[in-house]
Amino acid sequence: MKKGLVLEGGAMRGLWTAGVTDVMMEHHVRPDGLIGVSAGAAFGCNYKSGQVGRAIRYNTRFAHDSRYSGMRSLLTSGDYFNAQFGYHVVPFKYDIFDIEAFRQNTMEFIVVCTDVLTGKAIYHAMDHVDYDELEWLRASASMPIVSKVVEVQGNKLLDGGVSDSIPLEYFESIGYDRNIVILTQPLGYQKEHNRLMPLIRLSLRKFPEMIRALDNRHLMYNRQLQYVAQAEREGHCLVIRPEGKIPIGHISHNPEEMRHVYEMGRAAGEQYIDRIIEFYDSH
């Protein structure tokens, strides 16, 4: 039996997920593998390095720092979340990422990105940290329109949520048969067609397959919700989801709003922790 943890994205809603996973770490819950999409990857890497509280700590610290994110970064670099500062300065200077703990932890860590040339998902296993590996992590969380295409190791990449938002089926296909899925939308949520498609078509006009994937993303996402629901009914996975809409937008510069969302996630984690442990321990 391989125990998996599946983290969907959701931009700053990912702080809710970070609250849940921090509680799991505090209770020494050790999955065999974690697959993260977008914010699920960017914040989920802290699970493999064992750093409780790191995601909420650096996000609140740099909430108002123009070096980290904002319109100034978007206009000067093409990325709302500054690539160099956020992924290559903060982890090594201001909130140190434990590279050695990440490397030594045997938990498999997979990042989901979208190939802009094909519109298909690429699944990248990270077992160490260097410049290129952090670029894979950045690519997974690089939202269209507010991010440049990330070029790493011959690939052109953007947000993994475009092609595989909730990668439970993929994780099952590589042997993970006991999975916990953490969603960032409440029960009954259905994604609607993206109203920004005219702007997306303009900004990604060089990548028609990526445009196609974005145009159909709501259909893919809603099918995946059905797949997760079926797996949940059959007892193959345990789903943790917020009880209602998480009160934060895709982008936030409000530290108190961030902390509130994170604490909501922690409360959910405490509520679920006994079921989490029981689910992973059962056969």
Side-chain angles (χ1 to χ4, degrees), residues 221-280:
Y221 184 88
N222 294 334
R223 282 195 299 268
Q224 290 191 325
L225 286 178
Q226 292 176 355
Y227 186 90
V228 169
Q230 182 65 28
E232 184 179 23
R233 285 192 294 269
E234 294 174 355
H236 301 320
C237 73
L238 173 65
V239 181
I240 303 172
R241 53 172 70 84
E243 294 182 355
K245 183 179 179 180
I246 297 174
I248 197 168
H250 278 79
I251 293 168
S252 175
H253 295 282
N254 184 333
E256 291 307 313
E257 183 178 57
M258 295 178 188
R259 290 190 190 96
H260 176 62
V261 166
Y262 172 76
E263 290 300 330
M264 288 177 63
R266 286 193 60 89
E270 293 291 355
Q271 178 184 343
Y272 273 90
I273 192 62
D274 290 340
R275 276 177 280 178
I276 290 169
I277 293 170
E278 181 182 3
F279 180 80
Y280 271 161

